[in-house]
Amino acid sequence: MTRHPDAHPQMADHWWWRPGWQTGTRFLTFHFTFQDVPEVHRLAAAYRTVLAGVDGLDLVPDRWLHLTTQGLGFADTAPDDEVQAVLAAAADRLAALPPFDLTLHRPEITPEAVRWEASPAGPPTAVRAALRDAIRSVRGTVDGPEEFAPHISIAYSNSAGPAAPVQAALDTVDTPPATAHVDHVELIVLHRDRRMYQWETHTRLPLGESRTRD
């Protein structure tokens, strides 16, 4: 259910620099991406149309829609042999997890973004747990909190301001939910140099496929 604007009366700038980040930083992370999911693009287009008239938002184009899953580390400090070991461990674990469908409907407002909560949360959470276990098996530790709320952002806030105009725009949309079939997760090389999360794909890892063993 969409949150009432009083839940977050003020938007905040999403683009402040997190520790370790600056222009030019590249980060290795596992994401679900949606470049080839027309149903998600249909839903996104409906909301981008109404949000385009709201000041203070950076709208996410279809190419950059994503579900943040699990970070691996800054690209310039992650040894390639370690990355390859994590990928091999992850592939083993993901082979046991079947593809799944996610449903997106009405976005919610958070202080820094407008986003869909992905439903059901169980399958992407299971993938994240497998990725975290793979990283831990190689490094002995894994970064990031255990708790996880799978979501996909359609817009990021770039300034402080009231949430009420955002909510008013969202309330004008009447469109069916979208279903996304998810059969892989990607390790990507991410940056945010241009007030948008953009990336190149490093490795695509399928769900539910056995690996050939030597």
Side-chain angles (χ1 to χ4, degrees):
M1 180 178 295
T2 303
R3 293 171 183 153
H4 190 276
D6 287 346
H8 295 297
Q10 289 291 318
M11 307 297 288
D13 185 7
H14 176 76
W15 300 114
W16 59 277
W17 290 112
R18 278 68 175 170
W21 283 84
Q22 60 183 350
T23 301
T25 296
R26 297 296 183 267
F27 190 73
L28 289 164
T29 183
F30 292 97
H31 278 18
F32 297 106
T33 64
F34 301 92
Q35 296 98 317
D36 302 316
V37 189
E39 266 294 281
V40 173
H41 299 174
R42 171 193 61 79
L43 188 67
Y47 283 102
R48 276 196 300 264
T49 297
V50 300
L51 292 173
V54 180
D55 290 337
L57 296 178
D58 294 317
L59 307 181
V60 182
D62 294 336
R63 173 68 179 85
W64 307 121
L65 293 168
H66 62 277
L67 194 161
T68 302
T69 306
Q70 175 60 46
L72 185 55
F74 292 108
D76 60 351
T77 62
D80 186 63
D81 58 347
E82 183 179 83
V83 173
Q84 293 303 320
V86 168
L87 287 169
D92 278 338
R93 289 156 174 79
L94 296 176
L97 298 178
F100 55 88
D101 289 342
L102 289 178
T103 298
L104 312 177
H105 193 195
R106 300 199 65 83
E108 297 186 351
I109 299 171
T110 68
E112 295 186 8
V114 181
R115 70 191 204 183
W116 294 287
E117 305 298 319
S119 178
T125 300
V127 170
R128 182 175 185 264
L131 293 170
R132 288 174 64 81
D133 188 57
I135 295 168
R136 190 181 291 109
S137 74
V138 173
R139 292 180 169 172
T141 186
V142 60
D143 293 333
E146 290 292 340
E147 60 269 18
F148 178 55
H151 62 272
I152 301 165
S153 294
I154 182 60
Y156 293 103
S157 175
N158 60 40
S159 59
V166 181
Q167 187 65 62
L170 297 178
D171 288 344
T172 67
V173 177
D174 182 14
T175 192
T179 298
H181 184 68
V182 178
D183 60 8
H184 68 281
V185 66
E186 295 179 17
L187 179 65
I188 62 175
V189 185
L190 180 77
H191 72 84
R192 41 161 292 180
D193 293 349
R194 293 183 285 273
R195 217 164 66 179
M196 186 63 58
Y197 292 107
Q198 299 173 299
W199 62 82
E200 296 179 358
T201 298
H202 182 290
T203 303
R204 176 172 165 144
L205 295 175
L207 303 179
E209 291 189 7
S210 298
R211 299 175 66 239
T212 301
R213 298 177 183 276
D214 294 332

